[in-house]
Amino acid sequence: RIFRTCREMGIATVAVYSAPDTGEPHMREADEAVLLPGSSPTETYLDIDAVLAAAKTTGAGAVHPGYGFLAENPSFARAVIDAGLIWIGPPPRAIEVMGSKLESKDLMRSVGVPVLEGIRLGEGDDPKQAAAGIGFPVLVKASAGGGGKGMRVVTDPTDLPDAVEAARREAAGAFGDDTMFLERYL
């Protein structure tokens, strides 16, 4: 859709791709496609320097991050801007705030948007005591990431400590951030 819109506006497009994605629609739809070295996401789509090098090589003036991978990475947005390119997306600070469920809740609350109350769980906090103020069932939730990772529904208070620890491990592995909080489960 992005390439189609650009084409309708007379704007040339460039796609980046990895070897395993050769021939995929995003590559075929672009006016030009640049192969990123490597084959894993870490070596290709998540490599900020490689993506910026592709932009420089092709003379691109702007970067739209697409979906997933670096689209929600504030460091990538800053790197694009620092490289003198136009960043097509939310400002880096907005990406940063919205990437943290706790920070985004604080921001929404500050401008009058109703939110479910959450209780941050610090290291050493007693989750049962924290949950007592909310009531059960509770949702144990990672502040970072998404897609259901680092989340557990807990109906029995005796299950809460194990659920918090399991969610914390999962969040740390998936997002590199094990910040957890509790919400009343609706």
Side-chain angles (χ1 to χ4, degrees):
R1 293 187 316 235
I2 295 163
F3 291 147
R4 182 177 59 239
T5 300
C6 286
R7 194 169 28 259
E8 289 169 2
M9 296 175 70
I11 299 170
T13 59
V14 178
V16 294
Y17 69 99
S18 66
D21 291 335
T22 299
E24 290 295 320
H26 80 283
M27 184 188 154
R28 293 190 318 262
E29 288 292 321
D31 296 304
E32 188 173 349
V34 176
L35 174 64
L36 298 173
S39 57
S40 73
T42 305
E43 297 170 318
T44 56
Y45 299 115
L46 293 172
D47 184 336
I48 292 172
D49 292 334
V51 174
L52 290 177
K56 183 178 180 180
T57 299
T58 61
V63 172
H64 183 290
Y67 306 99
F69 293 110
L70 294 173
E72 297 175 17
N73 184 323
S75 297
F76 179 55
R78 283 188 191 94
V80 168
I81 293 165
D82 290 347
L85 299 168
I86 296 169
W87 169 252
I88 303 171
R93 180 66 184 140
I95 297 169
E96 203 167 69
V97 169
M98 297 313 287
S100 163
K101 292 173 191 73
L102 289 169
E103 278 192 65
S104 62
K105 280 175 168 281
D106 289 345
L107 176 62
M108 294 302 103
R109 192 179 299 107
S110 77
V111 295
V113 175
V115 298
L116 284 173
E117 289 303 316
I119 297 175
R120 180 187 205 110
L121 291 175
E123 281 296 321
D125 285 351
D126 178 1
K128 288 183 191 178
Q129 186 177 7
I134 300 174
F136 283 84
V138 295
L139 181 62
V140 176
K141 203 168 184 181
S143 179
K149 291 191 183 305
M151 293 174 63
R152 303 286 188 283
V153 176
V154 180
T155 57
D156 183 337
T158 60
D159 295 334
L160 188 56
D162 288 341
V164 169
E165 286 312 307
R168 193 181 297 277
R169 282 190 306 274
E170 185 176 30
F175 314 124
D177 182 346
D178 69 353
T179 306
M180 304 302 297
F181 68 104
L182 301 177
E183 279 183 341
R184 173 86 175 160
Y185 179 68
L186 300 179

